[in-house]
């Protein structure tokens, strides 16, 4: 029956192709002003059934798109990727180009399969099929259809029901045969342009999501990954019947963990490897504290094992042994997890394989117990007091005890022992750890704002800065610092830089420097006006009132400024602004001025309170930012004293 449904859809679509009027283009341009392209029809049909006791899984796809602007040629080249777990068949592509009052159809004849050389992976089995929509131009439309064979029941995929282009009509259909149990994760699906139906026909269950007139999904300033706010359906096979017995696939996180564990069965089975033993003995010489030993092993792996993504089929899931990694001196995230846990095992210390998703993934393991819920692997050490140390050696400047920024607030699947796991949410690092502390001693010298400064960068700020400056020459670094440390206005001129506390020092990275700012003090008769707030951390942070998407930050940080300004001779203090304090569920901000003799000290401290913000919080965010920006424009007033 499902083949009849698909055939009917394709016949209908073929009618749309031949009946498409060139005059319709103007109506679509009016309906979707500014859109480069509109999806007229998109049909995806996933079939999961039993064939002679074996699972058969495949997906058929058809899409017809109309191009509304002169940018159409930018969509000409198309690529589809695949690897060990899928394959494409029956691929057909064509372009219908305006020719007077009719269309000329140009079929794509060349489909080229090659290794995916654009991949960020050093070695994998991913391949791409490349082809072109010939003659694509404004007013033309493309058609693409294919069949995708799914070879492993753990990798079903997902359907995105709203994207960056308007959609006239889209259908996502799943046809499930008798003896197969399928579950779904529906996310952000409550939209008035999406409808759902479930029907039964000849022993098959048909699930169907229909999209009608879906608007363009917005991408705005600070928007998180689109996966956080686009409607999507993620199916999974819970179980199926085989030879009278039930085969379980992915009912819940227990099934996912059991499957993941099979990848570890043959990893690090050795217990007396001379090379591993020599490394551990050398690294731990003189250390008796267990936490210090864990730190040393982590830092040795970080320093000696080069990160190289290396995947092929299930090799993308199976770690290589520590002995192989230590001999090769390179590996991917799984290999580093394997190395850390095995080196610590030789030291008599237990560490744990840990699967985790980065902040590109919005799901927990309960919500989505499939391989789509995680894309990273690390090692975890659990101290006797219960504190968890998440060790990701893929970053050269990642500090021990500080999780990678992109796994904050993400749920980790920690293998505690064979058959036993723990779900643990990685905490968000406190803003005080990720701090920028600016200390400035300044005055006016012949009308020029002159100062000595020390800037301290901690936590993720330190990590990021180390990456930025690691390969810069002195001249390049001076230019970088001029932008990075900018204060006052565009006449900020820093010099005489002195750096200290480079990684692996646990102290904040320190930069001492001198600087001047030209034309910074404003003079009016016998008064001088000076703004002691030298930074603009919140300028430009106001958001649109009609924002459609949530917003997020990579980490939360604290900005702490202390400016000691010595009043120049011949002037007296006439006015300093009142203190301000803001404290709500979104952010903290405070600033104040104190006077001690002829020295005015301005202090400010601020931080956001969380990583992720909802659209409903935009109004309070803007109100707070407005208050801060207004206060940061305040000036002190000095008056000539003679």
């Amino acid at each position: 029956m499902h083949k009849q449904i698909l055939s009917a859809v394709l016949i209908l679509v073929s009618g749309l192709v031949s009946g498409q009027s060139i005059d319709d283009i103007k109506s679509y341009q009016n309906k979707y002003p500014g859109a480069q392209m509109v999806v007229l029809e998109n049909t995806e049909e996933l079939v999961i059934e039993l064939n002679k006791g074996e699972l058969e899984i495949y997906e058929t796809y058809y899409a017809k798109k109309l191009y509304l602007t002169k940018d159409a040629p930018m969509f000409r080249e198309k690529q589809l990727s695949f690897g060990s777990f899928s394959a494409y068949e029956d691929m057909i592509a064509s372009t219908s180009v305006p020719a007077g009052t009719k269309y000329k159809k140009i079929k794509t004849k060349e489909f080229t399969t090659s290794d995916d050389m654009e991949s960020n992976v050093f070695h994998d089995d991913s391949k791409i099929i490349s082809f072109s929509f010939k003659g694509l131009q404004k007013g033309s439309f493309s058609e693409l259809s294919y069949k995708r064979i799914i070879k492993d029941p753990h990798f079903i995929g997902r359907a995105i029901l709203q994207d960056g282009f308007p959609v006239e009509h889209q259908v996502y259909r799943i046809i499930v045969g008798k003896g197969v149990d399928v579950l779904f994760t529906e996310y952000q699906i409550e939209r008035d342009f999406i409808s759902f139906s479930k029907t039964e026909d000849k022993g098959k269950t048909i699930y169907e999501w229909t999209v009608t007139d879906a608007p363009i999904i917005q991408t705005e300033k600070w928007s998180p990954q689109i996966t956080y706010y686009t409607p999507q359906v993620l199916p999974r096979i819970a179980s199926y019947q085989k030879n009278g017995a039930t085969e379980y696939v992915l009912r819940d996180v227990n099934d996912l963990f059991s499957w993941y564990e099979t990848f570890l069965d043959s990893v690090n089975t050795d217990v007396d490897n001379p090379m591993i033993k020599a490394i551990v003995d050398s690294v731990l010489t003189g250390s008796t504290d267990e936490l210090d030993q864990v730190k040393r092993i982590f830092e040795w792996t970080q320093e000696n094992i080069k990160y190289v993504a290396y995947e092929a089929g299930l090799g993308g899931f199976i770690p290589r042994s520590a002995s192989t990694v230590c001999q090769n001196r390179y590996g991917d995230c799984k290999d580093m997890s394997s190395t850390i846990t095995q080196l610590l095992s030789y030291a008599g210390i237990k560490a744990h394989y840990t699967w985790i998703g980065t902040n590109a993934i919005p799901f927990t393991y309960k919500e989505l117990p499939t391989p789509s819920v995680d894309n990273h692997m690390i090692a975890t050490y659990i101290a006797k007091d219960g504190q968890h140390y998440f060790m990701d050696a893929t970053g050269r400047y990642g500090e021990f005890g500080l999780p990678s920024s992109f796994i904050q607030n993400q749920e980790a699947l920690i293998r505690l022992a064979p058959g036993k796991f723990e779900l643990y949410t990685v905490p968000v690092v406190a803003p005080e750890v990720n701090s920028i502390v600016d200390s400035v001693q300044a005055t006016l010298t012949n009308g020029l704002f002159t100062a000595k400064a020390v800037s301290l960068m901690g936590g993720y700020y330190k990590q990021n800065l180390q990456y930025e400056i690691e390969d810069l020459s002195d001249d390049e670094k001076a230019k970088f610092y001029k932008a990075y440390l900018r204060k006052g206005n565009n006449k900020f001129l820093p010099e005489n830089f002195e750096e200290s506390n480079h990684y692996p020092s646990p102290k904040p990275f320190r930069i001492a420097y001198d600087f001047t700012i030209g034309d910074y003090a404003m003079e009016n008769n016998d008064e001088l006006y000076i703004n002691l707030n030298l930074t603009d951390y919140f300028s430009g942070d106001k958001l649109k009132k009609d924002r459609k998407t949530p917003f997020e930050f990579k980490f939360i940080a604290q900005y702490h400024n202390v400016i000691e300004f010595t009043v120049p001779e011949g002037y007296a203090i006439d006015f300093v602004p009142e203190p301000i304090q803001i404290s709500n569920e979104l952010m903290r901000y405070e600033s104040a001025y104190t006077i001690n003799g002829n020295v005015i000290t301005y202090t400010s401290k601020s931080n956001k309170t969380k990583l992720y913000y909802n659209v409903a919080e935009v109004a309070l965010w803007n109100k707070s930012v407005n208050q801060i920006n207004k206060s940061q424009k305040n000036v002190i007033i000095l008056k000539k004293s003679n």
Side-chain angles (χ1 to χ4, degrees):
M1 188 274 181
H2 59 274
K3 292 181 180 178
Q4 294 173 346
I5 293 176
L6 180 59
S7 298
V9 169
L10 293 178
I11 291 170
L12 173 63
V13 168
S14 298
L16 289 172
V17 172
S18 59
Q20 191 75 40
S21 169
I22 294 177
D23 292 335
D24 288 346
I25 297 170
K26 291 183 179 179
S27 66
Y28 284 119
Q29 288 173 330
N30 292 332
K31 185 175 182 179
Y32 304 112
Q36 296 170 303
M37 177 260 286
V38 56
V39 179
L40 300 178
E41 184 71 34
N42 187 321
T43 302
E44 294 178 72
E45 186 172 279
L46 175 66
V47 177
I48 308 171
E49 58 187 356
L50 292 172
N51 185 359
K52 297 179 180 179
E54 298 294 333
L55 269 179
E56 184 177 12
I57 312 168
Y58 62 90
E59 179 185 64
T60 55
Y61 174 90
Y62 174 85
K64 176 188 175 187
K65 302 175 181 179
L66 174 65
Y67 301 87
L68 305 176
T69 71
K70 63 181 180 181
D71 297 328
M74 68 184 287
F75 299 97
R76 183 180 297 155
E77 303 300 323
K78 182 75 174 177
Q79 291 183 340
L80 296 174
S81 61
F82 66 99
S84 299
F85 308 121
S86 64
Y88 287 97
E89 295 179 353
D90 305 330
M91 189 169 293
I92 302 173
S94 66
T95 311
S96 294
V97 181
T101 59
K102 297 182 179 180
Y103 283 94
K104 178 184 178 182
K105 192 166 189 174
I106 305 172
K107 293 184 178 180
T108 299
K109 297 180 180 179
E110 228 176 274
F111 296 89
T112 304
T113 301
S114 60
D115 292 331
D116 187 359
M117 304 306 293
E118 298 297 321
S119 172
N120 292 323
V121 179
F122 170 71
H123 172 76
D124 65 8
D125 65 345
S126 64
K127 296 183 181 298
I128 56 173
I129 299 175
S130 303
F131 57 96
S132 297
F133 291 113
K134 302 294 184 183
L136 202 62
Q137 59 183 272
K138 179 180 177 180
S140 61
F141 57 89
S142 65
E143 293 177 273
L144 174 65
S145 64
Y146 57 76
K147 181 178 181 180
R148 185 171 73 97
I149 308 299
I150 299 170
K151 301 178 181 180
D152 189 307
H154 297 90
F155 300 100
I156 300 298
R158 75 182 73 194
I160 302 295
L161 301 184
Q162 187 185 17
D163 211 332
F165 297 100
V167 176
E168 287 280 291
H169 187 249
Q170 178 179 353
V171 174
Y172 180 57
R173 183 182 299 115
I174 302 176
I175 299 174
V176 183
K178 188 176 180 180
V180 181
D181 183 21
V182 173
L183 299 173
F184 309 99
T185 298
E186 294 180 297
Y187 183 73
Q188 302 282 357
I189 209 76
E190 298 80 14
R191 301 284 199 277
D192 56 10
F193 54 82
I194 300 175
S195 61
F196 171 74
S197 66
K198 177 183 177 182
T199 57
E200 302 284 340
D201 185 83
K202 297 180 180 179
K204 293 182 173 62
T205 305
I206 304 168
Y207 305 88
E208 188 168 291
W209 292 262
T210 302
V211 177
T212 306
D213 290 333
I216 298 172
I217 197 164
Q218 300 291 329
T219 299
E220 302 170 290
K221 176 182 178 180
W222 299 338
S223 290
Q225 293 282 341
I226 195 172
T227 49
Y228 277 81
Y229 53 92
T230 187
Q232 51 196 295
V233 178
L234 303 100
R236 67 182 187 273
I237 299 173
S239 64
Y240 63 96
Q241 299 299 311
K242 184 176 181 179
N243 300 324
T246 301
E247 296 285 334
Y248 297 109
V249 185
L250 292 172
R251 293 167 298 172
D252 52 29
V253 67
N254 294 285
D255 284 346
L256 180 65
F257 175 73
S258 296
W259 181 56
Y260 278 176
E261 268 204 312
T262 63
F263 303 144
L264 307 178
D265 290 343
S266 60
V267 179
N268 292 331
T269 56
D270 59 290
V271 294
D272 190 23
N273 185 296
M275 177 182 64
I276 298 296
K277 188 175 186 306
I279 291 172
V280 172
D281 290 344
S282 174
V283 172
L284 300 187
T285 298
S287 178
T288 57
D289 178 74
E290 182 167 292
L291 187 60
D292 176 67
Q293 292 176 343
V294 176
K295 179 175 180 290
R296 289 191 184 196
I297 292 295
F298 166 73
E299 291 179 347
W300 182 91
T301 306
Q302 187 182 47
E303 182 179 352
N304 290 275
I305 307 301
K306 179 178 175 61
Y307 172 70
V308 176
Y310 192 95
E311 301 178 2
L314 286 176
F317 293 83
I318 303 173
R320 276 161 279 279
S321 66
S323 58
T324 299
V325 177
C326 289
Q327 185 171 359
N328 294 338
R329 293 302 172 106
Y330 66 80
D332 61 13
C333 63
K334 303 178 301 299
D335 302 335
M336 291 186 174
S337 173
S338 165
T339 300
I340 292 171
T341 54
Q342 181 71 340
L343 293 181
L344 286 173
S345 176
Y346 268 65
I349 301 171
K350 194 169 187 178
H352 311 280
Y353 289 101
T354 302
W355 297 269
I356 193 166
T358 66
N359 56 11
I361 299 174
F363 305 107
T364 65
Y365 281 91
K366 182 178 180 180
E367 293 169 329
L368 186 66
T370 79
S372 295
V373 76
D374 50 44
N375 56 358
H376 195 40
M377 196 172 193
I378 58 176
T380 301
Y381 167 71
I382 304 175
K384 292 181 175 62
D385 61 1
Q387 183 171 348
H388 289 56
Y389 293 82
F390 299 98
M391 295 176 285
D392 179 2
T394 60
R396 296 188 301 280
Y397 300 116
E399 182 180 337
F400 178 75
L402 197 66
S404 300
S405 63
F406 49 77
I407 65 170
Q408 293 178 100
N409 212 34
Q410 295 294 107
E411 193 174 56
L413 174 60
I414 305 171
R415 186 199 195 214
L416 299 176
K420 185 179 180 182
F421 67 88
E422 173 189 26
L423 293 176
Y424 191 94
T425 301
V426 178
V428 177
V429 175
E432 295 80 7
V433 176
N434 308 311
S435 63
I436 292 182
V437 180
D438 267 342
S439 300
V440 176
Q441 294 180 322
T443 189
L444 285 178
T445 304
N446 298 322
L448 183 68
F449 193 92
T450 306
K452 290 184 175 295
V454 173
S455 294
L456 302 175
M457 288 79 175
Y460 298 132
Y461 271 119
K462 176 178 179 177
Q463 287 183 24
N464 294 341
L465 184 59
Q466 296 269 212
Y467 285 112
E468 291 281 359
I469 67 174
E470 63 179 348
D471 295 321
L472 298 183
S473 66
D474 289 343
D475 288 343
E476 290 170 333
K477 193 179 291 187
K479 184 178 180 180
F480 170 81
Y481 279 147
K482 182 179 179 181
Y484 187 82
L485 301 169
R486 185 180 183 275
K487 292 175 171 57
N489 59 31
N490 58 7
K491 294 188 177 181
F492 169 69
L493 291 175
E495 60 181 358
N496 303 327
F497 302 106
E498 295 181 5
E499 301 172 348
S500 56
N501 302 337
H502 285 269
Y503 185 83
S505 169
K507 297 179 180 179
F509 186 82
R510 183 180 187 273
I511 310 171
Y513 55 100
D514 303 328
F515 71 88
T516 60
I517 308 175
D519 298 330
Y520 193 64
M522 296 180 60
E523 187 171 3
N524 182 25
N525 296 324
D526 61 347
E527 292 183 335
L528 276 178
Y529 305 93
I530 303 172
N531 185 344
L532 292 186
N533 179 69
L534 303 177
T535 59
D536 56 357
Y537 292 134
F538 286 88
S539 67
D541 281 6
K542 190 175 179 180
L543 302 173
K544 293 181 179 179
K545 293 180 181 179
D546 60 348
R547 186 182 180 93
K548 305 297 183 185
T549 63
F551 57 103
E552 70 168 0
F553 301 97
K554 292 181 179 179
F555 55 89
I556 54 177
Q558 184 178 93
Y559 309 108
H560 188 193
N561 299 293
V562 180
I563 293 93
E564 295 181 354
F565 179 78
T566 301
V567 177
E569 290 187 11
Y571 286 88
I573 301 169
D574 186 56
F575 170 80
V576 297
E578 293 294 320
I580 179 175
Q581 189 170 32
I582 298 171
S583 180
N584 54 49
E585 60 268 31
L586 308 185
M587 64 176 69
R588 309 276 186 270
Y589 178 84
E590 60 182 41
S591 67
Y593 298 80
T594 58
I595 300 173
N596 185 6
N598 68 334
V599 177
I600 303 173
T601 301
Y602 168 75
T603 60
S604 68
K605 187 180 292 186
S606 60
N607 67 267
K608 304 172 182 72
T609 61
K610 55 185 180 178
L611 296 174
Y612 187 88
Y613 295 77
N614 296 311
V615 175
E617 295 173 314
V618 168
L620 179 57
W621 174 271
N622 283 341
K623 179 182 177 182
S624 303
V625 168
N626 284 338
Q627 288 177 280
I628 294 170
N629 285 336
K630 183 178 179 181
S631 74
Q632 290 183 334
K633 294 176 182 177
N634 290 333
V635 297
I636 63 170
I637 301 176
L638 307 179
K639 185 169 286 190
K640 287 184 179 179
S641 56
N642 50 17

